[in-house]
Amino acid sequence: MAAVHGEDIPLRLLLIHAHPDDESLATGVTMAHHVERGDEVHVLTCTLGQEGEVIPTELKHLELPVGQPRDPDAPDPLGEVRRAELAAAMTAMGVASHRVLGEDGGPWWRDSGMVGTPSAAHPRAFAGADVEAVGAQVRSLIDELAPDAVVTYDLHGGYGHPDHIQTHRVTLAAIRGMAVERRPQVFGVVTPTSWYEQDLAWLRRELTPQRCAEWGVHLPPEDDTHQLSVVPDEAVSHATVAPDAVPRQRAAIAEHRTQVRLIPGAFVLSNDLPTRTAGREAYQLLDPDSGRPQPVTGPITDLWGARE
């Protein structure tokens, strides 16, 4: 495991995500919190999110047509725009470094799109890549940075996106290939049931019909947990609770303008469903060999306290 750090020694975190914006949406509070503590935060993004749905009308021409095969030789202008958005977001976040898998050498991978879509057949679709080979790509960065902790998705990829699940797999493959004494701890993002219920109640209270009409949003279904990695509270081992980090998180989210828009207290994706920016994120400590959560043996702590 990583070495013990005192309060005066910065922690080094590596966050591994599938597409630009995932880092700020799913782990932005943790990133902002640790940046503000003076810790060293690094981000690896596995694809450029070429299959994303575009929100701004003036940029809709960048969105690829739904349901059509992808020409392997065609350019991906949306990917270029999203790479620039990622760079701007990470400047706003203040991270130490941000990279896209392949830009330092090795294969580039492409957004696979959702299950059953034609984009999944693209020869460079990330979900179809060899897990061990991509794991070796990721391992080279882990070896270079020697992080104390690696943060990624849980076994279900948050909401089942093939690229999120593949990111989980390749991250674990990277760490499995390391000597045990050199392995960083690895965490998967989850949502405790109580937080999910509290956030849903907040949305239903704050988003009155008038506000929904004004902001162009609608409330999520009463039970939307099938789309989230929602777990019992007692299955959570670590959490970052840092409301003061929300302004920095929202500043980063604002840079991902093709994919996300902000309303008071929440962000909104292209489906017009709001998600509360509540200033808290939860994790499970994962077993690097199986990818499953390790048993919770003590009180919830944050990533700062998760060292041995």
Side-chain angles (χ1 to χ4, degrees):
M1 293 293 185
V4 174
H5 289 240
E7 289 292 331
D8 58 340
I9 301 177
L11 182 70
R12 185 176 297 147
L13 298 179
L14 172 61
L15 298 100
I16 304 179
H17 283 283
H19 315 108
D21 79 12
D22 291 333
E23 78 297 323
S24 300
L25 302 179
T27 57
V29 172
T30 298
M31 295 168 63
H33 174 64
H34 284 279
V35 165
E36 290 170 6
R37 286 187 67 108
D39 294 331
E40 195 176 309
V41 178
H42 301 266
V43 177
L44 175 64
T45 306
C46 294
T47 81
L48 291 176
Q50 296 90 338
E51 294 293 324
E53 296 176 349
V54 176
I55 292 175
T57 303
E58 69 274 17
L59 297 176
K60 270 288 187 182
H61 64 280
L62 297 172
E63 185 174 309
L64 292 171
V66 177
Q68 296 184 18
R70 306 306 186 209
D71 180 354
D73 299 320
D76 276 317
L78 178 57
E80 298 171 12
V81 171
R82 295 194 69 181
R83 179 65 181 98
E85 290 179 341
L86 175 64
M90 294 303 89
T91 297
M93 186 65 74
V95 301
S97 76
H98 55 92
R99 311 185 198 189
V100 175
L101 191 63
E103 68 182 7
D104 291 337
W108 285 80
W109 301 103
R110 192 179 183 280
D111 184 352
S112 308
M114 294 303 293
V115 174
T117 57
S119 54
H122 193 286
R124 290 190 291 109
F126 184 58
D130 181 89
V131 170
E132 295 300 325
V134 182
Q137 276 186 275
V138 174
R139 190 181 310 122
S140 65
L141 180 59
I142 295 175
D143 286 338
E144 174 191 333
L145 296 175
D148 299 290
V150 170
V151 177
T152 189
Y153 310 100
D154 75 340
L155 193 64
H156 307 291
Y159 63 99
H161 193 294
D163 288 341
H164 289 215
I165 294 171
Q166 181 77 328
T167 301
H168 166 90
R169 290 171 177 162
V170 302
T171 300
L172 273 293
I175 295 172
R176 281 197 305 269
M178 302 174 68
V180 172
E181 65 274 10
R182 294 184 56 250
R183 291 177 174 179
Q185 292 182 312
V186 57
F187 297 89
V189 184
V190 293
T191 301
T193 299
S194 64
W195 288 9
Y196 169 78
E197 293 172 347
Q198 291 164 14
D199 288 349
L200 184 59
W202 182 91
L203 289 169
R204 294 190 178 282
R205 182 177 67 251
E206 296 296 320
L207 295 182
T208 62
Q210 180 180 355
R211 287 173 175 168
C212 284
E214 179 183 351
W215 295 332
V217 300
H218 52 269
L219 292 170
E222 191 66 45
D223 182 5
D224 199 32
T225 56
H226 67 284
Q227 296 186 9
L228 304 164
S229 289
V230 176
V231 301
D233 287 26
E234 59 270 21
V236 172
S237 60
H238 297 76
T240 303
V241 180
D244 291 349
V246 170
R248 187 183 291 263
Q249 179 199 24
R250 287 175 64 90
I253 290 173
E255 299 294 346
H256 291 289
R257 62 186 298 264
T258 63
Q259 307 298 302
V260 196
R261 57 191 177 94
L262 290 166
I263 62 173
F267 65 80
V268 185
L269 302 179
S270 60
N271 58 8
D272 294 330
L273 291 173
T275 298
R276 184 184 181 193
T277 48
R280 57 192 186 183
E281 292 159 356
Y283 301 92
Q284 292 176 325
L285 180 63
L286 302 181
D287 174 7
D289 293 310
S290 69
R292 297 190 177 278
Q294 299 204 29
V296 178
T297 57
I300 293 175
T301 183
D302 65 15
L303 296 184
W304 178 261
R307 299 179 302 277
E308 294 181 359

